[in-house]
Amino acid sequence: GDWGPGRKTVNNKGETTTMPQQEICQVNCEGEWEKITFVGDSGAVDHVLTKKAAEAFPVKPTAMSKAGVGFTAANGTPIKNYGARVLKGVTVDNTAFSMTGQVTDVNKNLASFPKMVEQGLDIVLSKSKGSYISDEKSGLKIPVRLKAKGTPEFDLYVKRAGKNKYSVLSVNEGDE
C-alpha cells in the first residue's frame, strides 16, 4: 500500500530519521512541517493535491499528465493533471506514511476513500464511536474530523519547501 508503518520520518530525499513523539508539536510550532489537510472523498478515483500543497516534493510527469488526460469534477468541469507528487511524512501520532497524489487544479486536497480501502485501509466514520483511518497490520491510525454536513477531514505532515535537511529541536536544550 501507499502507507508505511513505523515511528520514523522520511524526508523528500528518502533519508529516514527517528523522531521522538514529544518533538512533533515543537517542530510543527516552529513551522518546520507543513500540515496538509485532506477531505476524504468517496467519489474520487485518486488522491489529488492542489498545486500549492507539499511544494517541497517535485511534480513528476505521469503517463496521464503527458497524454493530457485529466480528471472531471462532479459537476462535469474538466480538471488539468500536472503529474504526481510522492509525499513522505508523518501522521499526527508520528507514524511514517508515503502517499502519491495527482497535482491538479482543485481547491482542496482530496483523499480517495475507495483507493484507501482497495489498499487495505479501514475507514470508520461515526459520531458516537469516533472517526479514523486505520491499518491493522502497520498500526497506522489517523484521526478523522467530521466537519459540517459530515464531511470527513484529516491531516498529514510533510517537510516544508526549503526545509529538506532533517533537523530536530532537542527536548533537552543543548543535548545533541
Side-chain angles (χ1 to χ4, degrees):
D2 268 355
W3 304 79
R7 294 232 179 257
K8 307 228 176 248
T9 61
V10 183
N11 67 17
N12 59 6
K13 293 180 184 166
E15 301 160 334
T16 305
T17 312
T18 302
M19 187 168 128
Q21 175 70 30
Q22 65 269 31
E23 291 176 0
I24 192 160
C25 182
Q26 287 186 343
V27 173
N28 286 332
C29 298
E30 292 298 316
E32 293 278 324
W33 293 82
E34 175 184 352
K35 177 170 78 170
I36 311 248
T37 298
F38 283 91
V39 174
D41 191 331
S42 62
V45 295
D46 209 340
H47 308 308
V48 292
L49 301 166
T50 66
K51 288 191 271 187
K52 289 274 182 209
E55 288 182 307
F57 298 84
V59 178
K60 296 183 177 159
T62 63
M64 275 179 63
S65 69
K66 286 183 203 171
V69 177
F71 296 93
T72 304
N75 67 4
T77 306
I79 301 172
K80 185 167 173 48
N81 180 0
Y82 297 99
R85 279 193 169 122
V86 179
L87 308 184
K88 294 180 185 299
V90 292
T91 64
V92 71
D93 76 348
N94 206 23
T95 301
F97 80 90
S98 174
M99 176 185 191
T100 301
Q102 305 304 312
V103 178
T104 65
D105 286 326
V106 290
N107 297 324
K108 295 178 183 173
N109 304 303
L110 301 177
S112 168
F113 277 178
K115 186 171 187 175
M116 294 171 125
V117 170
E118 174 93 9
Q119 293 168 337
L121 297 173
D122 294 321
I123 298 167
V124 175
L125 301 176
S126 171
K127 278 188 173 183
S128 61
K129 298 176 186 164
S131 300
Y132 56 90
I133 299 163
S134 70
D135 179 359
E136 284 185 29
K137 284 185 281 186
S138 71
L140 173 79
K141 192 164 185 177
I142 301 169
V144 173
R145 296 180 300 282
L146 294 180
K147 303 299 274 183
K149 299 180 185 166
T151 303
E153 280 188 359
F154 63 93
D155 301 321
L156 298 174
Y157 297 86
V158 298
K159 281 298 212 172
R160 285 193 187 283
K163 304 283 186 184
N164 296 340
K165 196 107 170 80
Y166 184 80
S167 61
V168 164
L169 297 174
S170 179
V171 177
N172 304 321
E173 290 289 328
D175 185 25
E176 290 291 317

